[in-house]
Amino acid sequence: MKKALKVFALVICAIIIIILAYVAYVFIDYYRLDDNLELTPQNASATVKEAPTGEELSITSWNIGFGAYTDEFSFFMDGGKYSRGFSEEIVSDTMDKITSDLKSFNSDFYLVQEVDVNADRSYHINEYNIITNPFDKMSVVYAQNYDSPFLFYPILEPHGKSEAGLVTMSNYTISSSLRRSLPIQDGFAKFLDLDRCYVINRIPTDNGKELVLINFHLSAYTTDPTIADNQMSMLYEDILKEYEKGNYVICGGDFNKDLLGTSSQIFGISGDDYSWAKPFAYDKVPDGITVIAPYSESEPIPSCRNADRPWNSETNFQLTVDGFIISDNVKCIKSNVRDLQFQCSDHNPVYMNFVLK
């Protein structure tokens, strides 16, 4: 009996040491990129250099969900089962389909989020290369959103280490880009929501001003509600600075908030069980700025499904969290969601047709 107790105590001690060593690794390996980090645009000598004013242009924004989302996929951080794409082949096929869809949209600008460049969850496929290769005539910028430590959960198939970011592509020359680090939670919560940023891209226009194109992916898993307010306040401040200079500002990306405010009623599935899906705070939007929630009253299409279960249009909670912010010198002609039935991601792409006044 004494020998058995000794062995049991040694096993418990070993487990405690392993856990403490892992916690130490997570804290030591964690880092955030500096704020105001200058990025280098690729293909800066795009065929057309200046964005035109007075002409209709188009933009697409899409959170591609790291290429893992087939109809059967559910994600553990949303309450689902899986932490990785089902296989390297499936992720590769999904990325090829995403790239083909992006090409078919024929947009002047693309804002893409959740693009893995080196991640266990996507089998270390460089999704940036896959997406950008067919767009070699466009100016391209990559910004790292996060480079997370190895997450040893779920135990049987750990999520692992993830390096992912934002991709911006433009038919017109991106002259410079700046990565801004968003405020995030302190403590252990930062390991769940990871790093967050937005990217300020500058494009000359034909009237001597600039189109300031901002790509963002805001926090989803915060427990502190002030974080979302602080992130939006920072973004608004940068938008207004540019607008006051006479520049045109277009932001696009994943708000991780219900832009319609009543998505449960619109799409017919209750969101009461999902605390992250709060209505967007339109009352805090400053003068000079308009938030565009892509929507058609006659044919409403959601931009996001909660991934706590495989895709089923009758059971998945659906809402619109992807959209745009424009300064008042930009005219939105039309904005809507492309109905891809979440074939490749937990998000459908959104688009906007607009004119720089």
Side-chain angles (χ1 to χ4, degrees):
M1 178 64 73
K2 289 182 179 179
K3 185 176 181 180
L5 289 173
K6 185 177 181 180
V7 170
F8 178 74
L10 289 173
V11 170
I12 295 299
C13 287
I15 292 173
I16 292 173
I17 290 171
I18 291 171
I19 292 173
L20 291 175
Y22 172 70
V23 171
Y25 151 74
V26 168
F27 276 90
I28 292 170
D29 192 62
Y30 178 85
Y31 72 99
R32 293 199 73 191
L33 293 175
D34 292 336
D35 193 13
N36 292 306
L37 182 65
E38 292 186 6
L39 306 175
T40 302
Q42 305 299 310
N43 303 334
S45 57
T47 305
V48 181
K49 298 202 178 285
E50 296 178 338
T53 55
E55 296 182 18
E56 184 171 332
L57 300 169
S58 61
I59 185 170
T60 290
S61 178
W62 194 4
N63 180 332
I64 63 169
F66 63 93
Y69 286 79
T70 58
D71 284 354
E72 298 79 20
F73 188 82
S74 61
F75 190 46
F76 78 105
M77 291 188 78
D78 286 345
K81 291 177 58 176
Y82 305 105
S83 58
R84 305 185 180 196
F86 289 139
S87 71
E88 183 176 354
E89 181 182 11
I90 287 175
V91 173
S92 181
D93 288 346
T94 302
M95 289 306 304
D96 287 342
K97 177 67 168 60
I98 287 170
T99 303
S100 177
D101 285 336
L102 287 170
K103 195 74 175 174
S104 72
F105 301 154
N106 197 30
S107 294
D108 295 294
F109 308 94
Y110 294 95
L111 308 175
V112 189
Q113 304 87 38
E114 207 77 52
V115 181
D116 281 3
V117 295
N118 186 19
D120 293 314
R121 63 188 185 180
S122 51
Y123 304 92
H124 303 278
I125 294 171
N126 191 320
E127 298 176 350
Y128 167 81
N129 286 344
I130 294 174
I131 285 178
T132 58
N133 279 344
F135 297 95
D136 58 343
K137 300 298 183 185
M138 303 185 85
S139 278
V140 178
V141 173
Y142 172 78
Q144 177 183 302
N145 204 21
Y146 51 79
D147 182 4
S148 71
F150 191 97
L151 179 59
F152 209 94
Y153 186 85
I155 301 298
L156 297 180
E157 189 182 49
H159 186 61
K161 188 175 177 66
S162 300
E163 183 181 347
L166 313 176
V167 175
T168 304
M169 299 187 288
S170 167
N171 268 341
Y172 307 95
T173 302
I174 299 175
S175 59
S176 66
S177 294
L178 188 72
R179 182 192 185 275
R180 298 296 318 271
S181 292
L182 283 161
I184 60 171
Q185 279 190 249
D186 295 324
F188 191 77
K190 68 185 179 184
F191 299 110
L192 297 178
D193 201 41
L194 309 176
D195 203 354
R196 295 287 171 175
C197 74
Y198 59 85
V199 188
I200 301 174
N201 304 285
R202 297 185 177 277
I203 301 166
T205 59
D206 62 8
N207 63 352
K209 299 296 184 179
E210 289 180 314
L211 167 58
V212 178
L213 189 62
I214 300 178
N215 190 352
F216 64 82
H217 187 181
L218 304 182
S219 292
Y221 301 106
T222 57
T223 56
D224 181 355
T226 65
I227 296 299
D229 291 339
N230 293 339
Q231 289 184 349
M232 290 307 305
S233 294
M234 178 178 169
L235 185 56
Y236 290 149
E237 184 177 347
D238 273 342
I239 294 171
L240 289 175
K241 283 180 183 177
E242 297 300 331
Y243 179 48
E244 288 166 1
K245 295 177 187 176
N247 291 330
Y248 306 93
V249 186
I250 298 177
C251 310
D254 182 355
F255 288 78
N256 270 312
K257 290 288 179 287
D258 184 0
L259 293 181
L260 303 180
T262 56
S263 286
S264 292
Q265 289 74 36
I266 292 170
F267 302 114
I269 300 166
S270 174
D272 292 343
D273 294 333
Y274 307 104
S275 59
W276 65 274
K278 301 295 185 185
F280 182 77
Y282 283 97
D283 59 328
K284 296 181 180 179
V285 179
D287 292 338
I289 295 173
T290 301
V291 175
I292 305 295
Y295 179 65
S296 169
E297 188 172 353
S298 61
E299 191 178 357
I301 304 165
S303 82
C304 180
R305 71 170 176 99
N306 197 75
D308 57 339
R309 64 194 73 189
W311 167 237
N312 184 321
S313 60
E314 297 182 357
T315 59
N316 282 92
F317 173 54
Q318 301 157 60
L319 69 168
T320 289
V321 301
D322 305 273
F324 304 95
I325 307 172
I326 59 175
S327 54
D328 282 356
N329 51 2
V330 178
K331 178 182 180 181
C332 173
I333 296 173
K334 179 182 180 182
S335 184
N336 207 346
V337 182
R338 298 188 187 275
D339 191 6
L340 300 188
Q341 286 291 308
F342 306 108
Q343 288 180 25
C344 302
S345 171
D346 54 334
H347 293 250
N348 282 322
V350 298
Y351 72 90
M352 179 176 66
N353 294 354
F354 65 92
V355 170
L356 306 179
K357 294 180 184 178

